[in-house]
Amino acid sequence: MSKTLFDKVWYSHIVESFPKGPSVLYIDRHFIHEVTSPQAFEELKTRVLLIFKKERIIATVDHNVPTKNQHLPILDALSRKQVQILFENCKINGIDFFGLLHNYQGIVHIIGPELGYTLPGMTIVCGDSHTSTHGAFGSISFGIGTSQVSMVMASQCLLQKKPKQMRIHLVGLTKISVTPKDIILYIISKVGTDGAVGYFVEFSGKVFRRMSMEGRMTVCNMSIEIGAKGGLIAPDKTTLNYLNKIKFLPKDILLEEAMPYWRTLYTESDIFLDREYYFYASDITPMITYGTNPGMGFSIVRRIPKINVDYHQSISYMGFKAGYSLIGKPIQYVFIGSCTNARIEDLRIVANVVKNKKKAFHVLALIVPGSKQVIYQAKKEGLDIILKKSGFEFREPGCSACLGMNEDKLPFGAYCISTSNRNFVGRQGFGARTLLTSPLVAAIVAIEGKIIDVNNFYGKN
Amino acid sequence: MEKIEILVSRAIPIAIENIDTDQIIPARFLKSSKRQGFGSNLFRDWRYTNQGLVKESFILNNPKFSGKILLVGRNFGSGSSREHAAWSLFDYGFRVVISSFFADIFKENALNNGLLPIEISEVYLQYLFKTISYNRHILYSVFLGRQIIKIDKSFFYDYFSMEKYKKTCLLKGQDDIDHLISLYKKIKTFEVKSVFNDKENSYFIWRWSWR
Ligand code: SF4
């Protein structure tokens, strides 16, 4: 019988299943961070249970940590305590812990792939919704709740019902200056924020085949913003080349023996999934969001549409009016970071735009690389110097202004062009207004000090 | 997890629809690293004023009402997926929540924590609200085995549906963890059978079973 990519990975991980009920799914990798893990450790302690397989857990700190002076003790007492608790829990249980001063520290969804923890055909979970990022490698990855974190710790398994499957197919190729972020923002704007509830989504089409791994991670990262349980893309040459370059992998065995298996991971061509979407790639243009959910996005040159009452509230929160264009709107903050767009490729795009230019003087531009490894690579390529010269603040890794849990909060009413994944009310700070874009658009806005059409920028310079 | 089989108790009615998890437990109380103790902040902003004064009018502050059953309007537990919502209800002392519709994630979280969400028809829910407004001492009985909820010492009852696996869990007082641990041996064999390579370097253990 023909199988989909999802089926292949799913069925190879089933330990046992109840007829008409949930299945016991074996988990290969478990990432934990400081915010959603303490109660899970507590639970194990009260039940006097041991960690089932400590080698499969990797811990890092990201949500709560400062992005300045990470070598000093954390100022905020609660954040300090959470980091300390995670450190102690890992030490007692023998779990690999990448603390603030560790070379491998960074946002969980960025360090997983770059350290070679994320591999095709795996099942991966983390107590964080954007775990879907790892699907870029052709793995089943999804976010879980705290009780489930303790289940995986105790048994390396989860009880799960098999989700339905959806495929989103892009026909043809995109125009230049359209980045993976624009593609996913476009898809979200079309499918809607609840269009894929209950589904696992596979992305297919030439565009994705030609996309870099970094780009695929950006797409899969935001696949949960259409309500999906997760997203995935079949592994191919690009995936294998990427894995080839990771210096942390034991090359000899891995590549020779694993590759033939990984090559079998794709959806066979004669299958229809539970739901299929087709879009034309050539319709996509640089995108921006104008409202308070990621589905409220449109081409940057369009005017804000007149739509239903629900949107009214959200548009007035943003301080916009129907019928107006965003072009020319002055912006005070630019944030480049988060697990969506803080990889080395994103930094390269930004550096390329801002090279030999200065940011507009009224803009506060923040770059928060996703991990220590990204910083290391950026320094090697001299990107940090280019960025600092252009007036960007170059910070240390963490989630930072993506959710404003540390000090990097935005003031009331401020407009921020952000490369992160959610523009919810107050997410970046009380009353802060977020506009999601690609790093390319964000870099251009930092230089211009206002929103402009990407094509005009290139015409001018 | 605590067993539930038969529960006979008075109920506390809150006839409001669409109560989201932010109302059940506001985000600013999530910073604890323990699971217990959230009960004191359950419905925090409905129970206390900004200055921390008790709002007498809210039903949880009314000593005349008590019970292990919470009766609420439809679409209970929507919004953020925080498990703290279920923890706070349980910690406060509730064991059963009755409504005509629950948000998916809340329902799952509740079941994972020994809190029984009972979904009944809107008509019967309204009937229950009515009975309690006539007599707040009225007792309700829940029979999980037969999946029945009824007004004690009367014939008025309704069925509620429930997944078989979850029902067995609650009846035995088991949760997913207990079930998974009972599979310990099976999981071990599964691992051995399918572990492709186990280098001494524990970082790089990976497996498959598709050969
Ligand atoms: S960067 Fe943002 S979205 Fe990503 S894990 Fe951190 S808080 Fe979540």
Coordinates of all heavy atoms in Angstrom, one line a residue, chain A residues 62-63 107-109 128 130 338-339 399 402-403 421 427, ligand 1:
Chain A
D62 N 16.3 29.6 27.2 CA 16.1 30.6 26.1 C 14.9 31.6 26.4 O 15.1 32.8 26.3 CB 15.8 29.9 24.8 CG 14.7 28.9 24.9 OD1 14.1 28.8 25.9 OD2 14.5 28.2 23.9
H63 N 13.8 31.1 26.9 CA 12.6 32.0 27.0 C 12.8 33.2 27.9 O 12.3 34.2 27.6 CB 11.4 31.1 27.5 CG 10.8 30.4 26.4 ND1 11.4 29.3 25.8 CD2 9.6 30.4 25.8 CE1 10.6 28.8 24.8 NE2 9.5 29.5 24.8
I107 N 18.2 29.3 21.2 CA 16.7 28.9 21.2 C 16.6 27.5 20.8 O 17.2 27.0 19.9 CB 16.0 29.8 20.2 CG1 16.2 31.3 20.5 CG2 14.5 29.5 20.1 CD1 15.6 32.2 19.4
V108 N 15.8 26.7 21.6 CA 15.7 25.2 21.4 C 15.6 24.8 19.9 O 16.2 23.9 19.5 CB 14.5 24.6 22.1 CG1 14.9 24.2 23.5 CG2 13.3 25.4 22.1
H109 N 14.7 25.5 19.2 CA 14.4 25.1 17.8 C 15.5 25.5 16.9 O 15.5 25.2 15.7 CB 13.1 25.7 17.4 CG 12.0 25.4 18.4 ND1 11.8 24.2 18.9 CD2 11.1 26.3 19.0 CE1 10.9 24.3 19.8 NE2 10.4 25.5 19.9
D128 N 6.8 23.3 23.8 CA 6.7 24.6 23.2 C 6.1 24.5 21.8 O 6.4 23.5 21.1 CB 8.2 25.2 23.0 CG 8.2 26.5 22.4 OD1 8.0 26.7 21.2 OD2 8.4 27.5 23.2
H130 N 6.3 25.9 18.9 CA 7.0 26.0 17.7 C 8.0 24.8 17.4 O 8.9 25.0 16.6 CB 7.7 27.3 17.6 CG 6.7 28.4 17.4 ND1 6.2 29.1 18.5 CD2 6.1 28.9 16.3 CE1 5.3 30.0 18.0 NE2 5.2 29.9 16.7
S338 N 14.2 35.4 17.0 CA 13.2 34.4 17.2 C 13.6 33.1 16.5 O 14.3 33.1 15.5 CB 11.8 34.8 16.9 OG 11.5 34.5 15.6
C339 N 12.9 32.0 16.8 CA 13.1 30.7 16.2 C 12.7 30.7 14.7 O 13.0 29.8 14.0 CB 12.5 29.6 17.0 SG 10.7 29.8 17.2
C399 N 15.1 34.1 23.4 CA 13.8 34.4 22.7 C 13.5 35.9 22.6 O 12.9 36.4 21.7 CB 12.7 33.7 23.4 SG 12.7 31.9 23.2
C402 N 10.6 38.3 21.1 CA 9.5 37.5 20.5 C 8.4 37.4 21.4 O 7.2 37.4 21.0 CB 10.1 36.1 20.1 SG 8.8 35.0 19.6
L403 N 8.6 37.2 22.7 CA 7.5 37.1 23.6 C 7.6 38.0 24.8 O 6.8 38.0 25.7 CB 7.2 35.6 24.1 CG 8.0 35.0 25.3 CD1 7.4 33.8 25.7 CD2 9.4 34.9 25.0
N421 N 7.1 35.2 15.0 CA 6.0 34.5 14.4 C 4.6 34.8 14.9 O 3.6 34.3 14.4 CB 6.3 33.0 14.7 CG 6.8 32.8 16.1 OD1 6.3 33.4 17.0 ND2 7.8 32.0 16.2
R427 N 1.9 40.8 22.9 CA 2.9 39.8 23.0 C 4.3 40.4 23.2 O 5.1 39.9 24.0 CB 2.9 38.9 21.8 CG 4.0 37.9 21.8 CD 3.6 36.6 21.0 NE 4.7 35.7 20.8 CZ 4.8 34.5 21.3 NH1 3.8 34.0 22.0 NH2 5.9 33.7 21.1
Ligands
SF4_1 S1 11.6 32.5 19.8 FE1 9.5 32.9 20.3 S2 8.3 31.4 19.3 FE2 10.4 30.7 19.3 S3 10.5 29.4 21.1 FE3 11.1 31.4 21.7 S4 9.3 32.4 22.5 FE4 8.7 30.6 21.3

